[in-house]
Amino acid sequence: LPWEGYLTALKEGQFDLYLGETRLTGDFDPAPLLIPGGGLNYGRFSSPAVTSLVEAYQGAEGAARTTAAKALSAALIQQVPIAPLCFKNWSVLSQWGQLSALSATQQNLFYHFWSWEFG
């Protein structure tokens, strides 16, 4: 399909298979993919149980967040509304206070790398 036709097919749910790239926010919130009306839920997946589990995950902190993530994952394995083909985690890990002037963007982890200060 031409690009405009592709976008129309997504919006109308008129496809057999959707292959796309998704970049989650830093908190790994899957809501746009999984809840009704979510901006990336092109397949119109709907499950009240999964929606409740997503909400529990969003509201949890610390060890409770890990527990909520496991419960959500277990539910998704049973229903399989999406099939991740590849997963990348663009992140920067350093000891606290050892890196400053980092200005990475969602599209470019090394944005303005030359201005980073180590020490």
Side-chain angles (χ1 to χ4, degrees):
L1 293 173
W3 181 247
E4 292 303 320
Y6 175 73
L7 293 177
T8 299
L10 284 178
K11 290 177 185 173
E12 294 177 358
Q14 299 297 318
F15 56 88
D16 295 320
L17 174 68
Y18 162 64
L19 178 63
E21 178 181 359
T22 300
R23 296 181 183 188
L24 297 178
T25 54
D27 60 358
F28 288 87
D29 183 2
L33 289 164
L34 300 173
I35 62 169
L40 299 172
N41 188 353
Y42 296 114
R44 298 188 176 118
F45 172 73
S46 179
S47 165
V50 169
T51 298
S52 293
L53 290 167
V54 168
E55 291 169 354
Y57 172 77
Q58 289 171 323
E61 295 180 9
R65 188 163 175 95
T66 301
T67 301
K70 287 179 181 179
L72 176 58
S73 295
L76 293 175
I77 288 170
Q78 297 299 314
Q79 298 187 41
V80 194
I82 56 175
L85 301 177
C86 177
F87 178 81
K88 290 192 296 188
N89 180 355
W90 288 75
S91 60
V92 176
L93 303 174
S94 76
Q95 291 180 332
W96 190 262
Q98 295 299 309
L99 178 62
S100 62
L102 173 76
S103 58
T105 69
Q106 186 176 23
Q107 292 78 25
N108 184 355
L109 177 66
F110 299 105
Y111 183 75
H112 284 179
F113 177 75
W114 56 86
S115 66
W116 294 10
E117 297 176 13
F118 302 89

